[in-house]
Amino acid sequence: MSSLAILGAFLSLAVLTLFPAVMVISTRNILHAGFWLLPTLIGVAGLYAMLDAHFFVVAQVLIYIGAILVLILFALMLTRDVMNPRAPQHNGLLTAAVPICASLAALSAVLLARHPWPAGRPPEAAGAHDQTVALGRALIGTYALPFEAASVLLLAALVGAIVLAKAPQTEPPSAERTDCSGGEK
Amino acid sequence: MTVGLSHYLILSAALFGLGALAAITRRNAVAVLMGVELMLNAANLNFLAFWRYLTPQGMEAQVFVIIGFTVAAAEAALGLAVVLSLYRDFGTLNVDEASGLKG
């Protein structure tokens, strides 16, 4: 592929990633904000494809779009009637946070652009098959301990999520708990 | 003009800034979670860009991205459990109103 085509693909993926991210912040309807997250995640998956990270394209679609985004949409739909869509959707920090976040992004962008990174395209990456085989071998070989630590973290988080989300029925009903315990007079 | 490492880094800096903006300014707790997800995506994009351009033979960046995915999944599950109990106990999802720990 010519370098111009690669640049065009990169720029369209950048727009596909950044414009929906702006909409996630600015849209009033919170459910629409959740749906705007979808093109951002797809754009990031496309950028992974441009970086030849084949495994992570699939993982991004499966985990971020298939699991995390669906979980977020579930939470939005379960709680949609809580917030009045005509009430302000941003807190009083908006006027201060916009210049701060913009200057944070601009400053890091300037610093990263000025650093003398090795220019040009690196040598060809391995094919999808070889790359995934090497990653799998690394995960059960050299990096088995970080991988297991990540699994334990996920297990602990999921158990904690179940405990947190469970209704407090086992506690003795006290005066301020009676409205939550359901049905007991 | 070719697409270099700095292009990806600038893009992910912009994505991180937008995620931080969402996490700071949104009033809905689930929208704050979405901002955190955007920031995690920017971090993962940085890891993979550095891997591709600087250490294409190494495995460290990919292992970090796998841990990043795990942390994002754990954060989403725990965050939504917190959101549901916030809804149950306070009847609101507005993070400004859930100020029980404010001094």
Side-chain angles (χ1 to χ4, degrees), chain A residues 42-119:
Chain A
I42 291 177
V44 173
L47 289 167
Y48 290 171
M50 284 192 68
L51 287 167
D52 296 323
H54 309 282
F55 173 74
F56 294 100
V57 180
V58 181
Q60 172 88 2
V61 173
L62 275 180
I63 297 178
Y64 263 103
I65 298 174
I68 295 178
L69 184 59
V70 169
L71 206 58
I72 286 178
L73 288 177
F74 264 125
L76 287 177
M77 289 179 181
L78 282 174
T79 59
R80 183 158 51 143
D81 52 339
V82 180
M83 279 193 87
N84 179 8
R86 276 175 288 284
Q89 293 294 313
H90 298 91
N91 56 23
L93 294 171
L94 189 62
T95 47
V98 169
I100 288 175
C101 289
S103 52
L104 170 77
L107 186 67
S108 40
V110 167
L111 287 177
L112 291 167
R114 285 168 54 119
H115 190 276
W117 304 109

Side-chain angles (χ1 to χ4, degrees), chain A residues 25 89-98 100-102 104, chain B residues 16-28 31-33 35-36 39 95-96:
Chain A
I25 300 172
Q89 293 294 313
H90 298 91
N91 56 23
L93 294 171
L94 189 62
T95 47
V98 169
I100 288 175
C101 289
L104 170 77
Chain B
F16 187 90
L18 289 172
L21 191 61
I24 292 172
T25 63
R26 278 293 215 172
R27 291 172 84 211
N28 191 310
V32 173
L33 277 181
V36 177
M39 290 195 277
V95 288
D96 292 339

Side-chain angles (χ1 to χ4, degrees), chain A residues 28-47:
Chain A
R28 275 191 102 58
N29 189 329
I30 188 68
L31 196 60
H32 291 178
F35 281 118
W36 274 113
L37 209 52
L38 175 67
T40 295
L41 298 177
I42 291 177
V44 173
L47 289 167

